[in-house]
Amino acid sequence: IKVLEELERIEVATSTIERRAFMLEADAQDLRLRHDEIVNSWKLRAEREGLENLIAERQRLEMHAWVCDPLPCRVPAEAPGRSS
């Protein structure tokens, strides 16, 4: 009887783990597709707008954040190269 109980436990565990593995594989595939969509959209945007323009826009946004976003002490930061 102990052997039969062990076999039943193994069968239940196996099906549970296989179901989880299937769901994880589906989630991984969704992530791969999302990754590819993001990469392709940025490649198209870089072709359309120019990589240099995208880099310049990002640097502008970073400088704005550097000046405007408060530090944890709620004091605005000074941008590099700027003095009050």
Side-chain angles (χ1 to χ4, degrees):
I1 295 211
K2 287 184 179 185
V3 172
L4 292 175
E5 289 173 348
E6 178 69 10
L7 288 174
E8 181 182 12
R9 189 190 64 75
I10 290 171
E11 288 174 0
V12 169
T14 300
S15 66
T16 302
I17 292 170
E18 286 174 342
R19 192 171 32 258
R20 279 187 23 217
F22 177 79
M23 296 304 293
L24 288 172
E25 190 168 352
D27 290 347
Q29 181 63 27
D30 290 344
L31 289 174
R32 281 197 270 314
L33 291 173
R34 182 70 182 129
H35 172 271
D36 292 346
E37 289 172 1
I38 292 169
V39 169
N40 289 334
S41 71
W42 278 97
K43 283 181 180 179
L44 291 173
R45 187 171 175 196
E47 288 174 8
R48 187 176 57 245
E49 298 178 29
L51 183 60
E52 296 79 19
N53 291 334
L54 293 177
I55 292 170
E57 174 68 11
R58 183 64 195 167
Q59 288 173 338
R60 186 188 70 74
L61 292 172
E62 286 176 357
M63 289 302 293
H64 181 267
W66 180 260
V67 171
C68 297
D69 285 349
L71 294 171
C73 63
R74 302 277 188 219
V75 176
E78 288 295 324
R82 292 184 61 184
S83 59
S84 300

